Amino acid sequence: MKGIEFHNRENELKAIQAILDAEPSLITFIYGPINSGKTTLISHLIEELPEEYVVFYINLRTKFLSSYDEFIESLFEMEMETEGALKKRKETLAELVSSVTKVAGIPINKEFLDYVFKDNKPKNAFSYIIQLFEEVRASGKHPVLILDELQKIGDVKVNGFLIYELFNFFIDLTKEKHLAHIFVATSDSLFLEQIYSEAMLEGRCRYLLVDDFDYEATAAFLEKHGFTDDETVVAWGYCGGKPGYLIELANMKLGGEDITKKVDKMLEEVISRFIFMLARNKETKSDIIDMLTIFATVEAVKYSDSMDIDLLSFLVKQNILFLDPVNRTIKPQSRLNLLAIREMIR
Ligand SMILES: Nc1ncnc2c1ncn2[C@@H]1O[C@H](COP(=O)(O)OP(=O)(O)OP(=O)(O)O)[C@@H](O)[C@H]1O
Ligand SMILES: [Mg+2]
């Protein structure tokens, strides 16, 4: 299948470039609705960054994380000793730094790993990372640490919650030491809301919203993929600017399929999901419908404290609504969700 090239995101890339041009001083949280293109933006950025940046990218999505050890394992990329190879083992930090390739975790060897695991202390891991980053700086380059899907460690405990230790570490790397750029991406808006209300992070981080494409970017994308004006109206009307869906439609188009039939089917699937969700939550069904009725006439609302936060959290967890704590807005996760909501409340 033909690959789909990276589209748009000039503003977001500019914002990130400005962050990278300055001395590290804040943690950057990249957030947005599901399938809005956060990971793709990060991957593209990594590809495009000049050599002077050494990027450590860790995506926790596919990692199984229930303990400290598992988190440490997912963070570090153990230097592999290929059997029979005459390759010299990397013993020093400088040698490890020189082995960094694009889109890799943090390199480590057996000796350092033993130290990092010793006594189950996050401190050991963090002091190793600091040394490694200092080595990067000594080589005249800038370390950039990117953690995707950080909410996955939300429940991991070492004494207290690991996430707090990690945030303290990030603050140390940015605001205190100005040593590395830190980016954290998440599609979990409840997790982000917790972060947003976290006193220890106040004034120590910034938020970058990566939302679905706007109409202009969507129309340009569809035009690039040979959509007629009528097809563009249909695609935007059903899928809005969600890259995840647009890619699906572009591939359908490529395969010569009927776009209108496809979007009808997509909507039908979302509606089915809603029906089962309501069926499984009989006791709260009427409250759910009440809350969703706000979207009968508008696409987004401001959060107000008269709203039932538990019910809202439930609908966010169900991936029906997206909560943007920074702008205090709530909207359906996608245009398809909005249409399904309207269908349900009719
Ligand atoms: N700027 C873009 N240009 C072209 N395709 C894109 C772009 N952004 C996203 N996509 C496509 O949309 C799909 C979803 O993108 P991606 O996985 O990056 O979203 P995400 O926001 O990280 O999702 P999640 O919420 O699951 O973490 C992918 O198939 C990706 O290839
Ligand atoms: Mg992602």
Side-chain angles (χ1 to χ4, degrees):
M1 201 196 298
K2 195 177 123 217
I4 284 182
E5 72 176 61
F6 186 78
H7 180 69
N8 193 261
R9 297 296 183 205
E10 282 97 16
N11 291 337
E12 290 84 352
L13 286 167
K14 234 184 254 165
I16 296 176
Q17 197 53 60
I19 293 168
L20 290 171
D21 285 344
E23 187 180 57
S25 61
L26 297 170
I27 305 163
T28 306
F29 284 98
I30 295 177
Y31 74 105
I34 291 168
N35 264 328
S36 68
K38 300 173 287 296
T39 301
T40 304
L41 175 70
I42 291 168
S43 309
H44 178 76
L45 180 84
I46 294 171
E47 286 297 313
E48 301 282 296
L49 272 185
E51 291 273 304
E52 62 180 294
Y53 295 97
V54 181
V55 183
F56 304 92
Y57 173 74
I58 296 136
N59 192 339
L60 300 176
R61 165 159 290 176
T62 53
K63 306 284 163 80
F64 182 76
L65 292 172
S66 62
S67 68
Y68 171 67
D69 284 13
E70 279 160 355
F71 171 65
I72 292 296
E73 272 168 30
S74 67
L75 217 49
F76 295 108
E77 199 112 311
M78 184 66 189
E79 191 216 337
M80 290 296 193
E81 270 180 277
T82 35
E83 233 173 298
L86 291 168
K87 217 174 62 183
K88 186 181 173 301
R89 278 193 53 185
K90 298 182 179 68
E91 276 155 12
T92 66
L93 285 172
E95 284 169 339
L96 284 165
V97 164
S98 71
S99 74
V100 176
T101 51
K102 287 196 168 176
V103 200
I106 298 168
I108 197 161
N109 61 20
K110 175 85 177 63
E111 184 193 340
F112 287 123
L113 203 64
D114 286 343
Y115 165 72
V116 158
F117 272 114
K118 212 174 63 184
D119 316 321
N120 255 11
K121 278 201 189 115
K123 246 195 202 143
N124 291 5
F126 298 159
S127 80
Y128 170 74
I129 295 172
I130 288 176
Q131 286 176 54
L132 191 80
F133 285 0
E134 277 168 350
E135 191 61 46
V136 173
R137 284 288 282 269
S139 71
K141 297 184 177 184
H142 308 285
V144 181
L145 176 62
I146 307 173
L147 278 159
D148 206 344
E149 305 287 346
L150 187 68
Q151 75 279 354
K152 285 209 67 179
I153 69 152
D155 298 329
V156 179
K157 281 186 178 168
V158 247
N159 300 320
F161 282 107
L162 174 62
I163 195 109
Y164 292 108
E165 304 246 9
L166 200 60
F167 284 149
N168 266 321
F169 174 54
F170 290 165
I171 293 168
D172 189 42
L173 283 173
T174 50
K175 193 177 101 76
E176 308 284 332
K177 292 196 168 66
H178 307 288
L179 183 58
H181 292 283
I182 310 283
F183 293 88
V184 173
T186 182
S187 54
D188 183 331
S189 45
L190 290 180
F191 175 73
L192 191 83
E193 194 265 328
Q194 276 172 24
I195 289 172
Y196 193 69
S197 334
E198 183 52 60
M200 76 184 274
L201 286 172
E202 212 194 309
R204 289 156 178 181
C205 54
R206 64 167 85 75
Y207 298 90
L208 187 71
L209 173 64
V210 176
D211 210 340
D212 296 343
F213 292 145
D214 60 15
Y215 177 75
E216 265 192 333
T218 305
F221 175 89
L222 295 173
E223 200 190 330
K224 212 159 61 177
H225 292 281
F227 281 57
T228 63
D229 289 350
D230 287 348
E231 285 170 337
T232 298
V233 170
V234 171
W236 172 257
Y238 279 78
C239 297
K242 186 164 299 294
Y245 290 147
L246 297 177
I247 297 279
E248 218 178 312
L249 292 185
N251 284 328
M252 291 288 140
K253 169 88 185 157
L254 205 63
E257 284 183 60
D258 185 334
I259 298 300
T260 310
K261 268 196 200 136
K262 172 68 185 164
V263 290
D264 270 334
K265 204 163 154 252
M266 284 162 97
L267 178 58
E268 207 44 55
E269 280 169 21
V270 180
I271 292 173
S272 299
R273 206 160 63 77
F274 273 32
I275 290 174
F276 285 115
M277 182 274 292
L278 288 174
R280 271 200 211 93
N281 295 279
K282 280 202 193 66
E283 327 74 59
T284 45
K285 183 174 169 176
S286 67
D287 295 332
I288 293 173
I289 301 273
D290 270 357
M291 181 170 276
L292 294 178
T293 303
I294 334 172
F295 299 104
T297 51
V298 293
E299 293 180 13
V301 290
K302 276 265 173 206
Y303 173 75
S304 85
D305 53 13
S306 65
M307 286 178 181
D308 178 344
I309 189 81
D310 294 330
L311 192 62
L312 176 64
S313 301
F314 169 77
L315 291 171
V316 171
K317 260 204 199 102
Q318 294 288 317
N319 283 339
I320 290 169
L321 299 181
F322 166 65
L323 167 70
D324 176 344
V326 182
N327 298 303
R328 231 173 352 102
T329 52
I330 304 161
K331 62 178 185 178
Q333 281 282 2
S334 66
R335 176 88 195 160
L336 278 174
N337 272 6
L338 176 69
L339 297 181
I341 288 169
R342 289 181 176 169
E343 190 72 26
M344 295 298 305
I345 57 183
R346 254 198 309 130

